[in-house]
Amino acid sequence: LLFLGLRPNLSAVMKSKDIKVMIEEMKKGRRLPLARLISKVENRSADLPEVMKHLYSFTGTGEVWGITGPPGAGKSTLVDCLIKSLRSQGKRVAVIAVDPSSPFSGGAILGDRIRMQEHSRDSGVYIRSLGTRGKHGGLSHATKEVTMVLDAAGFDVILVETAGVGQTELEILRLAQTVAVVLVPESGDGIQVMKAGIMEIADVFVVNKSDRPGADKMVRELLTMVGLGHTDVPTDAHRAEHGKPWRPLVLRTEAVRHKGMEEFVAAMQSHQKYLSDSGKKKEKTKDFLKNELLDILSEKVGTLASQILDTPDGQRLLFDLIERKSDPYESSRKLIQELMKQKEILS
Amino acid sequence: LLFLGLRPNLSAVMKSKDIKVMIEEMKKGRRLPLARLISKVENRSADLPEVMKHLYSFTGTGEVWGITGPPGAGKSTLVDCLIKSLRSQGKRVAVIAVDPSSPFSGGAILGDRIRMQEHSRDSGVYIRSLGTRGKHGGLSHATKEVTMVLDAAGFDVILVETAGVGQTELEILRLAQTVAVVLVPESGDGIQVMKAGIMEIADVFVVNKSDRPGADKMVRELLTMVGLGHTDVPTDAHRAEHGKPWRPLVLRTEAVRHKGMEEFVAAMQSHQKYLSDSGKKKEKTKDFLKNELLDILSEKVGTLASQILDTPDGQRLLFDLIERKSDPYESSRKLIQELMKQKEILS
């Protein structure tokens, strides 16, 4: 088999020198080069290897915080308050709002983004929505690389806000070092059932809209869940000590009244301190980079294999499969053989 | 670099002859071999290539219908009714309930499955839940291969039920030939906004719980959306004609009272007929098999690359990345070079 006619990548490729200049400008705090570099990541530009080559050495200082929870829990308002609190500490803050583009979740996110424009004149704040429609499996990969761009740009805290339902909230574990799960009293019924899943991802539980009925019960249930029984004051006393596993903190907030926000910021920062002190931050960094390598590999192999399947010989391979002259695993072996003949695989 | 010490696959591998016998038994209608073959798919057994080799030639007759919609729309009750209606036509029906194991969606699915056990003495019905927790990207791949096992087992209709939120409902397009989106009057507010997303996936819209307030308004909005203006009777008259694109049908049901079910089954079957008559079914089959090839490739490459990264040399590669002596795209090139030296890649 000979696979001819692979499509060349036609997207405009920038010169290495120009990419370097763009990164330097971004590091001076300019918005336009930052936005353009993020777009290159989001659009999976052919420049990406060159961008990462020059940008990667500047990464490694930004903290990535994940904010997740069911739709309607008030995550965006909470993020809005987080920005204010972190700004008052002098931190530079970036927000990535991951819009899973669900046909069922609708357009709340657009309104939120408009509201967040009150920060738009503050050069210490950068907010960006990332759409994910149609990019199968691409959510965590592109988002991860955007956190790296923002890290290199010098943001101290990078907030990743996702409407966590289904598998999304597992992906946030691959992105964020510290994860807050935001709940509201109304989501209380299912706590016992969702116990296993939720314990895996939350470093901090936030019961938002905590003036509503059921808040006390929910806080108690969460405290029981994290093994603190009937204690009522869930903050400082229960921070994990050095060498011990982290025990999730349980907090109350009323984001619309900016109540409980200092405690929330303190909780997230205490988890970051725990990660550094315990050596767990290094493990997280290693996992993050391991996943990044595997994602790059998977994207490259998938793109090349798709192109091969679009050639006449690839179409014949598919035709044999449709006609049951081969089976999927046998055909995939042939596809791998062809893939390994491509020079592009090593470029 | 030499990568030694790759972990051998220790899972018990069955003899080719025994797998053939198991498939023969399954084709006679026996449950145990069917359940065991599905488990091999779900657990990504080392036997999978051998299983598919012997099973694949029996596939190609079963129809795959996707049933998706927001949590609480009554999908499981609807599926329950679908089973009854299809059984009364003499069809053999399999159900795959995909549980995205969301910490937020909770345990409704377990109760549903118990309720569905009323079909458990009917040999023409098979119901199976598939968990997906922790299997990143594995939802559609394993589910797809389970539909192939059920197809080979002789089921006429394979219903795939997913709680569609986020990216899940896009994955159903990769699995099912005909997709029903189930809504309830309460989910009406966001219809205009979710228009773009929802139009991509629905072949049939079902407004369930249609005795509730707001049902009329929702049906009107959906009809406007699919381009039928103020028409009130949305069934037969609007079926797409030969050569024209399919226009989604809009139906009302009250699944708990078994109302509207014959119309629902007829709508799904008319879409299947449309696919066959228009030649689109062949295109769908081709896309399905192309995705299956790419998924097998991605799984094999990902598994081997992970194993390489766990070896001492792989750890050194990661260490250089952590120390910023390399960048992710450069390191991924080295990883691919090592991957291509592995004999397993061609096996």
Side-chain angles (χ1 to χ4, degrees):
Chain A
L1 286 172
L2 256 179
F3 290 103
L4 299 169
L6 288 193
R7 289 169 306 196
N9 193 323
L10 294 172
S11 51
V13 176
M14 286 177 66
K15 285 178 191 161
S16 181
K17 197 187 72 180
D18 295 336
I19 288 174
K20 271 182 169 171
V21 170
M22 198 186 264
I23 291 170
E24 279 164 23
E25 292 293 307
M26 174 192 80
K27 288 196 64 63
K28 288 177 191 160
R30 288 195 54 217
R31 295 297 176 104
L32 190 62
L34 173 59
R36 286 183 66 190
L37 287 165
I38 291 175
S39 293
K40 280 182 186 292
V41 172
E42 197 179 9
N43 303 329
R44 315 309 297 153
S45 154
D47 287 333
L48 220 42
E50 198 66 21
V51 167
M52 278 294 168
K53 181 179 168 184
H54 298 297
L55 182 139
Y56 180 66
S57 61
F58 301 116
T59 64
T61 55
E63 298 177 0
V64 184
W65 299 4
I67 315 290
T68 189
K75 290 182 297 295
S76 297
T77 314
L78 213 58
V79 164
D80 203 30
C81 294
L82 270 183
I83 296 172
K84 284 177 193 151
S85 299
L86 287 164
R87 288 301 292 145
S88 72
Q89 294 185 4
K91 309 270 188 199
R92 297 187 69 212
V93 188
V95 177
I96 306 171
V98 179
D99 172 6
S101 302
S102 166
F104 306 124
S105 70
I109 286 162
L110 182 63
D112 292 336
R113 291 292 85 74
I114 291 166
R115 193 172 44 73
M116 291 230 264
Q117 287 188 358
E118 65 175 282
H119 302 288
S120 65
R121 293 186 181 278
D122 178 353
S123 68
V125 178
Y126 185 80
I127 297 169
R128 174 88 171 216
S129 289
L130 286 184
T132 61
R133 170 152 294 282
K135 291 170 199 157
H136 177 71
L139 167 63
S140 59
H141 190 198
T143 310
K144 200 165 32 172
E145 291 186 342
V146 172
T147 67
M148 292 165 87
V149 174
L150 292 164
D151 184 2
F155 288 97
D156 301 299
V157 181
I158 298 142
L159 301 171
V160 182
E161 177 196 334
T162 62
V165 200
Q167 301 194 299
T168 327
E169 78 280 342
L170 289 174
E171 294 193 3
I172 204 152
L173 281 181
R174 297 161 61 101
L175 293 171
Q177 297 137 10
T178 299
V179 174
V181 169
V182 184
L183 298 166
V184 278
E186 290 79 6
S187 33
D189 292 343
I191 282 204
Q192 284 310 314
V193 183
M194 63 191 177
K195 190 170 168 175
I198 218 168
M199 285 298 285
E200 280 174 35
I201 56 170
D203 301 306
V204 175
F205 284 105
V206 178
V207 179
N208 193 29
K209 307 184 185 177
S210 64
D211 53 328
R212 295 196 183 172
D216 291 344
K217 183 164 174 280
M218 174 170 259
V219 168
R220 273 199 307 276
E221 284 181 2
L222 288 169
L223 286 172
T224 306
M225 207 170 98
V226 302
L228 293 175
H230 300 288
T231 322
D232 281 335
V233 189
T235 48
D236 294 64
H238 310 107
R239 288 192 188 149
E241 289 155 40
H242 188 73
K244 291 187 180 174
W246 176 260
R247 243 186 339 198
L249 299 174
V250 181
L251 302 169
R252 292 157 179 268
T253 57
E254 283 179 60
V256 287
R257 291 185 191 80
H258 214 276
K259 277 193 191 172
M261 293 313 298
E262 276 63 42
E263 291 82 357
F264 183 22
V265 171
M268 298 297 275
Q269 288 175 335
S270 85
H271 183 256
Q272 283 282 330
K273 188 172 182 306
Y274 164 79
L275 289 178
S276 299
D277 292 351
S278 64
K280 290 221 162 63
K281 190 140 188 171
K282 277 181 191 159
E283 281 173 39
K284 292 229 174 200
T285 303
K286 198 173 159 186
D287 286 346
F288 180 97
L289 291 172
K290 182 178 172 179
N291 284 329
E292 171 67 6
L293 284 189
L294 293 175
D295 282 348
I296 293 172
L297 194 65
S298 162
E299 183 175 32
K300 180 179 263 183
V301 166
T303 304
L304 266 177
S306 282
Q307 289 178 4
I308 289 172
L309 288 176
D310 285 344
T311 63
D313 285 324
Q315 293 288 307
R316 263 194 290 281
L317 200 149
L318 272 176
F319 187 75
D320 284 351
L321 192 56
I322 291 167
E323 297 288 303
R324 267 71 183 169
K325 289 177 188 163
S326 174
D327 68 78
Y329 283 82
E330 189 192 339
S331 297
S332 78
R333 279 190 290 272
K334 290 178 191 158
L335 183 57
I336 289 181
Q337 281 168 14
E338 293 311 317
L339 189 70
M340 291 177 68
K341 290 179 193 163
Q342 304 297 322
K343 283 178 196 161
E344 291 92 335
I345 190 99
L346 291 172
S347 71
Chain B
L1 284 173
L2 256 179
F3 290 103
L4 299 169
L6 288 192
R7 288 169 307 195
N9 193 323
L10 294 172
S11 51
V13 177
M14 285 178 66
K15 285 178 192 160
S16 180
K17 196 188 71 181
D18 295 335
I19 288 174
K20 271 182 169 169
V21 170
M22 198 186 266
I23 291 170
E24 280 163 24
E25 290 295 307
M26 173 192 81
K27 287 196 64 62
K28 287 177 193 161
R30 288 195 53 217
R31 294 298 176 105
L32 190 61
L34 173 58
R36 287 184 65 190
L37 287 165
I38 291 175
S39 293
K40 280 182 185 292
V41 172
E42 196 178 10
N43 304 328
R44 314 311 296 156
S45 154
D47 287 333
L48 220 42
E50 198 65 22
V51 167
M52 279 295 169
K53 181 178 168 184
H54 297 298
L55 182 140
Y56 180 65
S57 61
F58 301 117
T59 64
T61 54
E63 298 178 1
V64 184
W65 299 4
I67 315 290
T68 190
K75 291 182 295 295
S76 297
T77 314
L78 213 57
V79 164
D80 202 30
C81 294
L82 270 183
I83 296 172
K84 284 178 195 151
S85 299
L86 287 164
R87 289 300 291 145
S88 73
Q89 294 185 4
K91 308 271 188 199
R92 297 187 69 211
V93 188
V95 177
I96 306 171
V98 179
D99 172 5
S101 301
S102 165
F104 306 122
S105 71
I109 286 161
L110 181 62
D112 291 336
R113 290 294 85 72
I114 291 166
R115 192 173 45 72
M116 289 229 267
Q117 287 188 358
E118 65 175 282
H119 302 289
S120 65
R121 295 187 180 276
D122 178 354
S123 68
V125 178
Y126 185 81
I127 297 169
R128 174 89 171 215
S129 289
L130 286 184
T132 61
R133 168 153 296 280
K135 291 170 199 158
H136 177 72
L139 167 64
S140 59
H141 190 197
T143 310
K144 199 165 34 172
E145 291 185 344
V146 173
T147 67
M148 291 164 86
V149 174
L150 291 165
D151 184 2
F155 288 96
D156 301 299
V157 180
I158 298 143
L159 302 171
V160 181
E161 177 196 334
T162 62
V165 199
Q167 302 195 299
T168 326
E169 78 280 342
L170 288 175
E171 294 193 2
I172 205 152
L173 280 183
R174 296 161 61 100
L175 292 170
Q177 296 137 10
T178 298
V179 174
V181 170
V182 184
L183 299 165
V184 278
E186 291 79 7
S187 35
D189 292 343
I191 282 204
Q192 283 311 312
V193 184
M194 62 190 177
K195 188 171 168 175
I198 217 167
M199 285 298 285
E200 280 175 34
I201 56 170
D203 301 306
V204 175
F205 285 105
V206 178
V207 178
N208 194 29
K209 307 184 186 179
S210 64
D211 53 328
R212 295 196 183 173
D216 290 345
K217 184 164 172 280
M218 174 170 258
V219 168
R220 272 198 308 276
E221 285 181 3
L222 287 169
L223 286 172
T224 306
M225 207 171 99
V226 301
L228 292 175
H230 300 286
T231 321
D232 281 335
V233 189
T235 48
D236 294 64
H238 310 107
R239 289 195 187 148
E241 289 154 41
H242 188 73
K244 292 187 179 174
W246 176 259
R247 243 186 339 197
L249 298 175
V250 181
L251 302 169
R252 294 156 177 267
T253 56
E254 284 179 59
V256 288
R257 290 186 191 80
H258 213 277
K259 275 193 191 173
M261 294 313 298
E262 277 63 42
E263 291 81 357
F264 183 22
V265 171
M268 298 297 274
Q269 289 175 335
S270 86
H271 183 256
Q272 283 282 331
K273 187 172 184 306
Y274 163 79
L275 289 178
S276 299
D277 292 350
S278 63
K280 291 222 161 63
K281 190 139 190 173
K282 276 182 191 159
E283 282 173 38
K284 292 228 174 202
T285 302
K286 199 173 160 187
D287 287 346
F288 180 96
L289 292 171
K290 182 178 172 181
N291 284 329
E292 171 67 6
L293 284 188
L294 293 175
D295 281 348
I296 293 172
L297 194 65
S298 162
E299 184 174 31
K300 180 179 265 185
V301 165
T303 304
L304 266 177
S306 282
Q307 289 178 3
I308 289 172
L309 288 176
D310 285 343
T311 62
D313 285 324
Q315 293 289 307
R316 264 192 291 282
L317 201 149
L318 272 176
F319 187 76
D320 283 351
L321 192 56
I322 292 167
E323 297 288 303
R324 268 71 183 169
K325 289 176 189 162
S326 174
D327 68 79
Y329 283 81
E330 189 192 338
S331 296
S332 78
R333 278 191 290 273
K334 289 178 190 158
L335 183 58
I336 289 180
Q337 282 169 15
E338 293 311 317
L339 189 70
M340 290 177 68
K341 290 180 192 163
Q342 304 297 324
K343 281 178 197 159
E344 290 91 336
I345 190 95
L346 290 172
S347 72

